[in-house]
Amino acid sequence: MERTFLAIKPDGVQRGLIGKVISRLEEKGFKLIAMKLMYLTNELAEKHYGEHKSKPFFNGLVGFITSGPIVAMVWQGKDAVSAVRKMMGKTNPLEAEIGTIRGDFAIDIGRNVVHGSDSSESAKREISIFFTEKEIIDWKPEIQKWLYE
Ligand code: DAT
Ligand code: MG
């Protein structure tokens, strides 16, 4: 089963949306296998968002993501990377479909509540930035047989 990295950004934590975001993924049937509340250092934030280093919004993005605690998580399930991206909605919340996390909870592109890996390669990279193998708990939910054929 595929793994993906999901983070609730400082705006989501400040606005009390941790539970709602987690509920959506739990209700969908994805399995939480790692989680921590943490501050990102500048160094970690720049590494995580390395692909955007040349963008005009890079400094603002790093400033924002380090401005308060985030919740870093790893979720597992069938096609988890693309399914979670779909549940997050488009980067610009005003373009995100209603029913998605960003579509329902956000307005501004710079305050879009969640980060999620955009490919299986970035998922592997991001998971290894935030978690050691030991911190990932591969448990077997009893309801598994009611979720997967
Ligand atoms: P996503 O978070 O959907 O993967 P991304 O990787 O293109 O989007 O960008 C990372 C974050 O950077 C995004 O969540 C919000 C911010 N961002 C992207 N484009 C932006 C823009 N044009 N202006 C301001 N912030 C932007
Ligand atoms: Mg991205």
Side-chain angles (χ1 to χ4, degrees), residues 9 49 51-52 57 61 85 88 90-91 102 109-110 112 114-116 118:
K9 296 180 180 180
Y49 279 128
E51 62 170 315
H52 298 301
F57 57 82
L61 180 60
R85 286 291 296 194
M88 285 165 53
K90 288 191 182 156
T91 309
R102 287 165 167 173
I109 195 165
N112 60 9
V114 281
H115 165 86
D118 63 6

Side-chain angles (χ1 to χ4, degrees), residues 11-72:
D11 53 336
V13 173
Q14 290 288 348
R15 292 175 55 205
L17 296 173
I18 298 172
K20 283 188 171 152
V21 171
I22 290 178
S23 279
R24 286 183 178 220
L25 297 182
E26 281 187 320
E27 286 171 2
K28 177 74 175 168
F30 288 121
K31 176 170 69 167
L32 181 63
I33 57 170
M35 175 162 77
K36 59 176 116 171
L37 178 76
M38 64 188 287
Y39 273 98
L40 249 73
T41 58
N42 261 308
E43 190 189 7
L44 207 65
E46 286 177 11
K47 188 173 177 193
H48 172 67
Y49 279 128
E51 62 170 315
H52 298 301
K53 211 169 178 82
S54 61
K55 310 266 173 65
F57 57 82
F58 182 74
N59 288 340
L61 180 60
V62 169
F64 163 62
I65 206 76
T66 56
S67 68
I70 65 155
V71 177

Side-chain angles (χ1 to χ4, degrees), residues 70-134:
I70 65 155
V71 177
M73 293 172 280
V74 182
W75 289 84
Q76 184 170 302
K78 188 176 182 183
D79 292 332
V81 170
S82 67
V84 170
R85 286 291 296 194
K86 212 182 261 180
M87 292 176 73
M88 285 165 53
K90 288 191 182 156
T91 309
N92 181 346
L94 290 182
E95 286 172 10
E97 299 287 339
I98 299 305
T100 64
I101 294 166
R102 287 165 167 173
D104 288 350
F105 298 137
I107 296 170
D108 201 296
I109 195 165
R111 299 287 185 272
N112 60 9
V113 180
V114 281
H115 165 86
S117 309
D118 63 6
S119 68
S120 146
E121 294 67 45
S122 9
K124 288 194 183 82
R125 190 182 77 86
E126 292 167 359
I127 290 168
S128 73
I129 291 178
F130 285 85
F131 294 97
T132 63
E133 258 319 304
K134 268 193 169 166

